[in-house]
């Protein structure tokens, strides 16, 4: 089933008459259009893609299931005209994306139509991946693994965090990535206690741990991988927390399967870390879904009601952070299958002492 069909099926289940989409990943998911500006209007009968002059030709090629409508500037009057033409009384829209100004303008232009929240429908649709999406995700993960290997070749005392980040980024681009999933994190020594310590000009010193968190976009799909390595012999406490994080990460990998909730899976890793006395030093969720966005559903967190299903892709990324000392995180992207979880990122997880 293609994505438009899938979304229409969910619209029918939720008795939603029409859907208005402008969030870029949702737009790409449903239509295939990769440009930076377009609006989708979907009913049971019609699928419209409204865009400006710059993207008309591209939209016709990328979104063959859609009728392409060229709008002027501003776009909203044409959108409102189409909503009225289609006789839409209830229009689903993305409350978490549309800004207040656009919302107010839509309400003024469409006094006859009710605007209703439709975020959950699209989040649900995207959480379970099809074969083509899984193929792109696997390639994005394999490229990230290659980048980690390249980083190991340059990681030595005297190199800066930014130089290591550039090696990761250049390797991913040369291997076919179209961009990065997020700003590359390289956090060495005491900076390792910052879970999102973006690469700085700091120089690596022997005896430090270095946390690398990186990922790329391949054919629209993101990878997200973290490894912590040691350059020379690190403080004993970091060696100790490394083995705890590794144990927690492996336990979650073994527990991840269809039917387990995000909350239960998070607890598998969190209990191990807490049992060693580091519960307060693991202050973020265990993981999140990965797809067209690097952070998407399902969340793997203490409050997550999501139930894992076959063909979801989620991260497994416990960490322990000790301010003034450093930190450790290990992250893989996992594909949920009927037989359990399969790692899409496959770089070694034992503590590498370089
Ligand atoms: Mn992540």
């Amino acid at each position: 089933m293609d994505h438009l069909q899938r979304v229409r099926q969910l619209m029918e289940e939720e008795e939603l008459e029409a859907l208005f989409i402008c969030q870029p990943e949702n737009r790409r998911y449903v239509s295939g259009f990769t440009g930076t500006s377009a609006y989708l209007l979907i009913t049971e009968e019609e699928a419209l893609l409204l865009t400006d002059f710059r993207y008309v030709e591209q939209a016709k090629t990328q979104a063959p299931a859609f009728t392409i409508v060229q709008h002027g500037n501003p776009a909203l009057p044409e959108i409102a005209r189409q909503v009225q033409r289609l006789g839409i009384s209830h229009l689903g829209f993305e409350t978490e994306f549309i800004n207040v100004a656009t919302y107010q303008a839509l309400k003024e232009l469409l006094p006859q139509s009710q605007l209703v929240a439709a975020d959950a429908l699209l989040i649900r649709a995207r959480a379970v991946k099809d074969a083509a999406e899984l193929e792109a995700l696997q390639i994005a993960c394999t490229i990230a693994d290659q980048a980690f290997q390249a980083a190991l070749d340059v990681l030595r005392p005297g190199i800066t965090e930014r130089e290591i980040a550039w090696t990761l980024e250049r390797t991913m681009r040369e291997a076919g990535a179209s961009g990065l999933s997020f700003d590359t994190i390289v956090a060495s020594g005491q900076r390792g206690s910052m879970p999102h310590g973006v690469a700085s000009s700091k120089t690596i010193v022997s005896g430090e741990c270095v946390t690398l968190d990186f990922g790329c976009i391949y054919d629209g799909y993101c990878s997200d991988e973290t490894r912590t390595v040691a350059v020379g012999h690190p403080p004993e406490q970091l060696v100790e927390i490394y083995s705890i994080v590794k144990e927690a990460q492996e336990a979650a990998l073994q527990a991840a399967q269809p039917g387990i909730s995000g909350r239960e899976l998070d607890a598998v890793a969190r209990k191990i870390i807490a049992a060693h006395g580091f519960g307060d030093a693991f202050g973020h969720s265990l993981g999140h879904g990965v797809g067209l966005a690097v952070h998407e559903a399902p969340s793997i967190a203490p409050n997550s009601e999501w139930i894992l299903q076959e063909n979801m892709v989620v991260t497994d990324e416990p960490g322990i952070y000790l301010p003034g000392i450093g930190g450790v995180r290990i992250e893989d992207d996992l594909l949920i299958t009927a037989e359990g979880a399969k790692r899409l990122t496959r770089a070694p997880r034992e503590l590498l002492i370089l």
Side-chain angles (χ1 to χ4, degrees), residues 182 196 213 223-226 286-290 294-295 315-317 329 331-333:
F182 51 88
H196 277 190
D213 186 350
S223 54
D224 187 4
E225 174 167 5
T226 307
L286 178 66
H288 52 86
V290 190
V294 69
H295 294 114
T315 67
D316 170 15
E317 51 175 313
R329 180 169 65 259
E331 174 182 32
D332 282 315
D333 299 343

Side-chain angles (χ1 to χ4, degrees), residues 286-350:
L286 178 66
H288 52 86
V290 190
L292 286 168
V294 69
H295 294 114
E296 59 180 47
S299 72
I300 312 295
N303 62 355
S304 171
E305 303 289 341
W306 281 91
I307 304 292
L308 290 194
Q309 292 174 47
E310 219 175 312
N311 295 333
M312 285 180 166
V313 175
V314 299
T315 67
D316 170 15
E317 51 175 313
I320 295 177
Y321 310 93
L322 305 175
I325 298 168
V328 172
R329 180 169 65 259
I330 304 171
E331 174 182 32
D332 282 315
D333 299 343
L334 310 182
L335 166 63
I336 307 304
T337 78
E339 290 80 42
K342 175 179 169 241
R343 291 167 62 209
L344 300 182
T345 44
R346 303 207 46 96
R349 289 176 296 167
E350 68 270 19

Side-chain angles (χ1 to χ4, degrees), residues 248-261:
Q249 206 257 357
E250 173 66 22
L253 168 67
Q254 295 304 328
Q257 58 181 304
I260 193 170
S261 71

